[in-house]
Amino acid sequence: MSFTSPHLAALAPYTPGEQPAIEGLVKLNTNENPYPPSPRVLAAIEGAARAGLQLYPDPESRVLRGAIGRHHGVAADHVFVGNGSDEVLALAFDAFFLHGDLPLLLPDVSYSFYQSVCRWLDVAVRRVPLDDGLRVDLAAFEATRGEAVAGMVIANPNAPTGIALPLDALERLAQVHPQRVLLVDEAYVDFGADSATALVARHPNVLVVQTLSKSRALAGLRVGWAIGQPPLVEALTRVKNSFNAYPLDRLAQAGATAAFEDQAYFARQRDAVVHCREGLLLQMEDLGFAVLPSQANFVFARHPAHDAAQLAAALRARKVLVRHFAQPRIDQYLRISVGTPAQCEQLLQAMAACLQG
Ligand SMILES: *Cc1c(COP(=O)(O)O)cnc(C)c1O
């Protein structure tokens, strides 16, 4: 006998990177920002905590959506917000990709949470292989023109490869199935890629999802958003209000709004991460790694002479945590978040020792 709904057996829940409480650990496994958020964010959260927690938050998050809209140069009716971009993604899959048996097109190597949501909502998936350079294969997507599909999702830059498509390629993708939504997950876009938000005015099927978790150092606050034309935002709101009318609490709305008001702080720590990434890439190449070109806050690399899973375990023994995916095509790669210069130095020293050992 089982108490669960029958479909639970078919779920494939996402496995987040571990968050172990080990003293002195260099944690480079979940692409968090190595720097704390802006002091203005903390002040805004403190203020919100003192004012009105007995009251429900604004279910429409109007102030925050206004701030996000100004940041992107769109009106607030083009902005949807949720409790982390994972929630925005899940609501978007429900709103746009349930079309009977028609498949959602996804790159074969991408953010694995998409697959978890598809299993949960029972969306069929068609995997479109990355090319031999582990790049999103634009031609392979274009070859599906005229076929009946549920929609398309890509992460740009892609995860876990870090490789980005340029804006003209994104625009071509938007035109492959103009009657379906193209969802572009831009969790890492601030670290060097072009944003598809530039396409939203011209393409009613483009929905762009971003997050405060990576470039704005607020993974703990859980705020993500989508940018799209108002009919897409209205559809997302309809699903949201069928699930949870208040996904963002007062602290999150206040802190997230402040994050958009401190552009100087944001630019400084973003530039620090990008600078460190470029140095790390060169030094890893000196150690013999093949490193993919990254537009994100992580690098994806393999060593021709060392097994990736063993290397990850050896690094862990030296208190450096990186991410290994036991998945076809990428099981010889490590995904390594870019930390502070001191963390990158510790990583490189531990790597050098592991490669000798
Ligand atoms: C980290 C990440 C997310 C999740 O972001 P949250 O806003 O923290 O839920 C979404 N997509 C990709 C590709 C990510 O790497």
Side-chain angles (χ1 to χ4, degrees), residues 41 44-45 64 67-68 81 212 216 218 221-225 248 250-261:
V41 170
I45 291 172
L64 172 58
I68 294 173
V81 294
L212 290 183
R216 293 189 189 256
L218 283 167
L221 200 63
R222 312 305 306 131
V223 178
W225 64 95
L248 289 192
R250 286 173 167 267
L251 309 187
Q253 290 187 32
T257 303
F260 288 97
E261 287 161 0

Side-chain angles (χ1 to χ4, degrees), residues 84-86 89 111 114 155 159 185 187-188 211 213-214 222-223:
S85 61
D86 283 351
L89 291 167
Y111 183 38
Y114 308 146
D185 179 354
Y188 302 103
T211 176
S213 296
K214 314 286 170 42
R222 312 305 306 131
V223 178

